Amino acid sequence: MQKIKPLLDQADKELKNDSSASPTVAGQSKQSKPLPGDDEKQGIDRVDAINQVFAEFEFAYHNQYHKAFSDSESLAIAKKYWLSVLENYLPTQIVQAAKALIRSQEYLPSVAAILRACEQGTDLFGLPSAREAYLEACSAPSPKREHQWSHEAVYYAGKSAGWFLLANESESTTFPLFEYHYAKLCRLVMNGEQLDIEQPDALPDKIEVKLDKDETRARIARMKKDLGL
């Protein structure tokens, strides 16, 4: 017990010295490392998309492909024609449409088949319709982040529109707002953007609370009293 008293006295002394220490001079601060700039995401353009589609068609329908495009001239003409016909669709939409056809068709798809597949729009990316997404957002239980969403875009559209608004206002008021945000998010997804729902940090196994100086002094005083020092 006699060994404890010097330790308590030393701790009390250090607290007093610490409280009388001069504050940091104004303007002095630790220089933080500059954050590295995010690399710019380079998405494919429509020409790249057409080239990728034809490359995948060649691999999937080898004999049919080379019969249809027997020389470089006919291939170049076909690519230019497809490019003009598909000019109103996103590059990622064109690629996804081609992939969907490859999975379902035994024969080399025509440009008409690609057009029909592109018309599926959001379905190619696993996105529900705006109406389905709205109903899901309105009925999802809390906590919203833990709900098993049909697509992350539905969650973010609901969050942008406002969960309180969706729960308390009429559909005539909330659906146009939700649809606006959902359309923007669908566009991002169709352009290749990856949406991830943020998850809260897990609580640590042990939470350490740093005592202020007054509380520390009070505890040292109580320990001295309890130990009869």
Side-chain angles (χ1 to χ4, degrees), residues 150-167:
S150 59
H151 196 283
E152 290 81 356
V154 182
Y155 165 79
Y156 280 109
K159 184 178 180 181
S160 297
W163 300 118
F164 181 83
L165 196 73
L166 292 177

Side-chain angles (χ1 to χ4, degrees), residues 5 7-13 15 213-227 229:
K5 186 176 185 302
L7 293 175
L8 294 173
D9 290 338
Q10 179 65 25
D12 196 25
K13 182 179 179 181
L15 279 169
K213 297 180 181 63
D214 292 338
E215 179 63 22
T216 303
R217 291 193 189 97
R219 292 197 179 193
I220 290 174
R222 285 198 297 271
M223 289 176 67
K224 286 182 176 180
K225 182 178 179 181
D226 293 341
L227 294 171
L229 300 176

Side-chain angles (χ1 to χ4, degrees), residues 83-144:
L83 184 62
S84 65
V85 171
L86 297 169
E87 64 181 356
N88 293 324
Y89 297 98
L90 294 170
T92 49
Q93 195 172 359
I94 296 169
V95 172
Q96 289 299 322
K99 289 180 181 293
L101 289 174
I102 289 172
R103 289 192 295 267
S104 61
Q105 285 195 192
E106 296 182 15
Y107 300 102
L108 181 66
S110 64
V111 68
I114 288 286
L115 280 169
R116 287 194 297 271
C118 284
E119 289 296 334
Q120 295 179 30
T122 57
D123 290 348
L124 293 170
F125 299 85
L127 291 158
S129 67
R131 177 68 181 168
E132 291 170 335
Y134 172 77
L135 293 175
E136 181 182 0
C138 290
S139 60
S142 295
K144 306 295 185 183

